[in-house]
Amino acid sequence: MSTLRDFHQNLFRLYEHYVGEPDSKTDVYGFWFFIAGYFIGAIGLLAFVAGYAGGDAFNQIRASGVAAAIGLALCLFGIVLLLPVRTRGIQASVVGLVVALAGAIAFGFVYPDHWRGHGLELTVEVVTLYAAGIGIIAGVTALVPIITGRKGMFVREQGESEDPPIMTGDSLEGAQFAVFRNEAGDWKWHVLHLEALAESEGSTVTRPETETSIEKVKSQIGSAGLMELTTSAFRLHEDREGTWQWTLARDDGSVVGTCASQFDRRDDAEQSVSFLKDRGPAADVIEIDGAAFTYTERRDQWFWQLLDDDRQPLAESEDGYRTMEAAETAAQTFAERFDRARLLDIDHVGVELETLDGEWSWRFVDETDDEFAQATTTFETKRAAEDAVEAILAELGSAAITVASEPTYECYEADGGWRWRLVDGNEHVVATTPDTLEGYGATEEETGLFADTVTSADVVEIEDAEYEIFPTERPTAADGGELQPVTDDDGDAAEATEPTPTQDWHWRLVTEDRDIIAASTEAHTDEETAGEAIERVRQQASEADLIEFENAAFQVYEADSGEWRWRLIDDDGNVLADSGEEHTSRGDAAEAMMTLKEQAPDAELLEIDTAAFEIFVNEDDEWGWRLIDEAGKLVAEDPAVHPTRSTAKQAMERLLTHLDSNVRTMDDAIFQTYAEEDWHWRFVLPAGETVAVDAEASSTRDELERSIDGIREAAAAGQCTAIGDVSIQLYGSGNGEWRWRLLDRDRTVVTDASRSYDAQPLAETAVKGLKARAADAPIFTIDEAAIRMTNEGGWGWELIDRDREVYAGPADSRSSKADAMADVEAVRRLAPIAGRVDFDVASFELFAAEDDRWRWRLIDENGQTVATGSEGHPSTEAAHEALDNVRDIIENASILEIDSVSFELHRAEEAWVWRLIDTYGEVLAESTQSYEHRTDAREAMMAVKEHAPEGWITFTDE
């Protein structure tokens, strides 16, 4: 109701300001209807012109058409209200307005789908409906002159007002000629003396409200009594709600003070006045030295407040207490806790150490002290928790950010090198590196090889052992010859041409555990040649004798051409000397060899008719074996060395055991599956290097092979990311929400976010903000209390415990954080030395009100406010001086009970004035001037009392 009333008054004020005094409220509403219609129609026209040039202008035409139609209807309706139309005419116009608005809205629904040959074709119906409404409004407007028969009704005559100045309020006294006929019919005149005797205390917005207030005064003024005030007085009266109040007024009628509360009974109000008269004149003013705690009772609860020496409130209790003694104890506890409490000045992020069930944990809080992440682990001591937090904060700034739904190669430092693991989209570690690598570059290269070859890799199971034929690449010159430096014409080295890779083929015999039993000793030109070499090894190894020697030896052998030759080989199989010519028989070759043997008497003599295994020891005292064919050519060798002759011989025997193993070409990487207790796989490149192994065993072969398909997909899509001691992972929590968590190097969740985000980018932005500010995050704990800064429409502070229960806060907020922190320091300094304000039976207290002016209030021994001053003062000194005068006024004041409308006659500045007071103590009217003599004031008052009830009401435009 108050909102509608304010709107109504605003319309009248604007009309009076820009147009003039309205004759009725229809003039005001008619004017504003016309203005509203004009602007709405203009907007519709502009929208039509602006939007019609577009390619798709249907929406613009629809909106502009509806706006223009509504604007025209409102304009016509406003004109009707401005005209002197009867009530029935206005009612008819309202009907026409509703019909026209219905037509305009119908156009918005119909156009363009059902307009002029489209859809249901409702053009005629809509136009007819709108035209009918406009016709009704326009018909009333056109018939007004005929119905009323009045001329000049549309334009008000303008000119100077003929009302005397006293009627317009420009003068308090004037004269008027009254012209009349006497009994004889002749004209006579009287000069009338006009004098303004009284004026209203307040003002009203509209003429009807003014008329109502005047009628109220006229009805009460005749029965009003007379009270003559020669001294100050307590006015005791009952308000409209039926409660009793009192005000203290000087002898000139100005109000000095009021009661602090309302009373249900008259006797209670009188008792309050008696207390003020008895105790007020002698009451002392409460003085504060430095700072003091005061105590007040509100709603049956006691609250404390800390004041400085200027009586400015610095802090106050958050909750009330049942007794004043309890509030006093709470104030002293506040002073002790505040002095030791830590100030939580958190700019963006802080870390709080807290106890949970006897153990310590920690959590992230933001600048508003709201938790946004909680640690998932606990610690036995606070120091251990603090060390863990410090380590995390040190690493958090450089922590990698990963997404749980995206496959990722996590690369990390371990065991003096680097390792990696593959995490799939379901957060399972599905692959890892078998060995520690030298650096991040090597780790990135290995994961790249895995990702590039995993899709085409076959799944292979090796039973006991298999021959693997595999290719290798070597650079060769473009012409197929050896690579030679290229020189320019001046003999300087020129840039070498890019070599083209050439593929060589090799073979190896490997076991299920990837132990290499034997390997080729030379490269082969193609896969077929390497296979033939395996067949030669099989054939010759099966027929080979075992030769064991420790020194150099002479060997006679038959060459491929059928000729015989000899050579001297050392214990490593290296050829030290060779016959320079071929011999036709073994004997000739042996005779030539014996000639040289005389110079190497320690060398053994070997006669080899077939292939042979040689067991030898090298210069490091390590043993091995090699297979030499009947021509003395090395065709296979042990890829490893052994500590003893027997272990070397056992390695040779393994070759013989697996000599007939299957042969398989390995030109791509393979998943090699094998079984121990459970099934596993390893990922082997063609060169024999194992670059990945499974991270978790499978219970069956079928389960293992099924898992490999998922591993292929994850490995091909994974991105290599270097992680440190901690990493940050974003993950979807369902329903489109995203969260984040901290993981340690072993992927254990260290911290989980307490709040969610609507999209992944929002969660990522929050995480980046945390990373940027983690290094400056304060680590704190709340033992008993802490001071938390707040900013809710203004800066302030709160004293809280570890459970975030608020003990106290500031009395007022500040515009800046610096000012609020200055208040904190002031409370720290003053609270420990603050005394207690002792209330006497009655004490005056000076305080700064909301308008920053000082007032007084009288407080009883319980700290309750009995009376409050009505006048503000610019300083405490001025308030002190005024209080001395108030004491005299209280002591000499009489008690007046206002139970009916009455005139008050009293002195004001050596003159006499009067006022008309209603039963609620409100001033209805007062004299327009002061009178030198009491008799003059009384005569003026009585003239008003006698003539006002019958007075007529005249309104003027000026």
Side-chain angles (χ1 to χ4, degrees), residues 47-116:
F48 176 81
V49 174
Y52 191 74
D56 183 11
F58 290 125
N59 289 332
Q60 291 88 338
I61 294 175
R62 179 191 296 111
S64 61
V66 172
I70 292 175
L72 175 60
L74 293 178
C75 282
L76 291 178
F77 183 70
I79 293 174
V80 171
L81 295 180
L82 289 170
L83 297 175
V85 180
R86 294 179 182 269
T87 303
R88 292 181 180 178
I90 294 178
Q91 293 172 347
S93 298
V94 171
V95 174
L97 177 63
V98 172
V99 174
L101 292 179
I105 295 173
F107 173 77
F109 283 103
V110 168
Y111 183 84
D113 296 331
H114 304 290
W115 193 260
R116 295 189 63 183

Side-chain angles (χ1 to χ4, degrees), residues 886-917:
V886 170
R887 287 192 177 94
D888 296 334
I889 293 174
I890 293 174
E891 184 175 12
N892 299 321
S894 59
I895 301 176
L896 300 177
E897 181 180 344
I898 302 175
D899 55 3
S900 63
V901 179
S902 59
F903 284 98
E904 285 186 356
L905 186 64
H906 53 80
R907 295 184 63 85
E909 298 180 357
E910 305 299 327
W912 289 85
V913 295
W914 61 264
R915 295 191 298 181
L916 180 63
I917 308 295

Side-chain angles (χ1 to χ4, degrees), residues 11-22 27-28 31-32:
L11 291 181
F12 269 78
R13 286 195 181 99
L14 291 172
Y15 186 91
E16 290 173 354
H17 181 74
Y18 292 105
V19 180
E21 178 70 28
D27 289 349
V28 177
F31 175 78
W32 290 116

Side-chain angles (χ1 to χ4, degrees), residues 851-874:
D851 57 0
D852 293 331
R853 296 181 65 82
W854 289 86
R855 286 177 168 80
W856 61 263
R857 58 188 171 205
L858 185 70
I859 300 174
D860 64 13
E861 58 187 349
N862 295 322
Q864 293 181 307
T865 302
V866 178
T868 305
S870 301
E871 299 173 326
H873 306 280

Side-chain angles (χ1 to χ4, degrees), residues 306-564:
L306 178 64
L307 306 178
D308 63 10
D309 52 5
D310 291 330
R311 309 200 63 75
Q312 294 287 351
L314 298 178
E316 60 186 10
S317 59
E318 180 72 14
D319 300 319
Y321 303 88
R322 296 184 60 184
T323 64
M324 187 171 66
E325 289 76 14
E328 185 176 3
T329 301
Q332 295 305 316
T333 302
F334 162 78
E336 295 172 1
R337 289 180 174 176
F338 199 93
D339 183 45
R340 297 191 299 266
R342 173 174 177 172
L343 176 62
L344 303 182
D345 184 17
I346 301 174
D347 285 335
H348 296 284
V349 60
V351 182
E352 180 186 5
L353 305 180
E354 57 181 355
T355 56
L356 297 174
D357 299 329
E359 294 187 321
W360 285 88
S361 185
W362 57 270
R363 62 178 185 165
F364 283 116
V365 295
D366 60 15
E367 64 272 11
T368 61
D369 196 37
D370 291 329
E371 175 188 303
F372 66 90
Q374 174 70 53
T376 58
T377 55
T378 58
F379 305 87
E380 293 184 359
T381 64
K382 180 170 67 173
R383 181 58 184 167
E386 185 176 6
D387 289 343
V389 171
E390 289 177 346
I392 289 174
L393 293 180
E395 295 291 331
L396 198 54
S398 59
I401 300 175
T402 61
V403 181
S405 59
E406 299 176 359
T408 305
Y409 291 98
E410 294 181 348
C411 306
Y412 56 94
E413 291 185 90
D415 302 328
W418 281 77
R419 298 185 65 84
W420 62 264
R421 58 181 170 238
L422 174 62
V423 183
D424 67 8
N426 296 322
E427 277 302 284
H428 298 146
V429 178
V430 295
T432 185
T433 179
D435 302 306
T436 301
L437 304 173
E438 292 185 359
Y440 176 70
T443 308
E444 191 174 23
E445 181 180 357
E446 184 171 279
T447 57
L449 286 173
F450 185 36
D452 292 341
T453 57
V454 69
T455 304
S456 59
D458 294 329
V459 179
V460 174
E461 181 181 352
I462 298 177
E463 295 182 2
D464 293 334
E466 279 190 1
Y467 291 97
E468 292 178 345
I469 300 175
F470 61 94
T472 59
E473 291 186 354
R474 59 179 174 83
T476 59
D479 59 357
E482 295 294 333
L483 289 176
Q484 299 293 336
V486 179
T487 57
D488 54 19
D489 296 339
D490 298 330
D492 297 329
E495 183 179 356
T497 59
E498 185 69 23
T500 58
T502 298
Q503 200 171 58
D504 290 332
W505 290 82
H506 300 265
W507 63 266
R508 59 178 171 253
L509 177 60
V510 297
T511 65
E512 180 185 26
D513 296 331
R514 300 302 303 177
D515 290 337
I516 301 177
I517 299 175
S520 57
T521 58
E522 61 181 5
H524 305 281
T525 58
D526 52 39
E527 177 184 354
E528 183 179 355
T529 305
E532 292 173 354
I534 293 174
E535 291 301 323
R536 286 199 303 272
V537 170
R538 282 176 172 174
Q539 179 182 358
Q540 295 176 3
S542 61
E543 301 173 354
D545 296 328
L546 175 61
I547 301 175
E548 302 181 52
F549 60 92
E550 299 179 6
N551 299 316
F554 285 99
Q555 181 183 39
V556 178
Y557 63 94
E558 187 178 9
D560 293 339
S561 59
E563 302 294 334
W564 288 87

Side-chain angles (χ1 to χ4, degrees), residues 15-17 19-24 27 156-165 167-170 207 954-958:
Y15 186 91
E16 290 173 354
H17 181 74
V19 180
E21 178 70 28
D23 293 330
S24 65
D27 289 349
R156 179 172 288 128
E157 302 227 355
Q158 303 192 4
E160 297 288 334
S161 172
E162 297 180 358
D163 296 314
M167 299 295 290
T168 61
D170 294 329
R207 181 182 294 184
T954 302
F955 287 91
T956 60
D957 293 333
E958 297 296 325

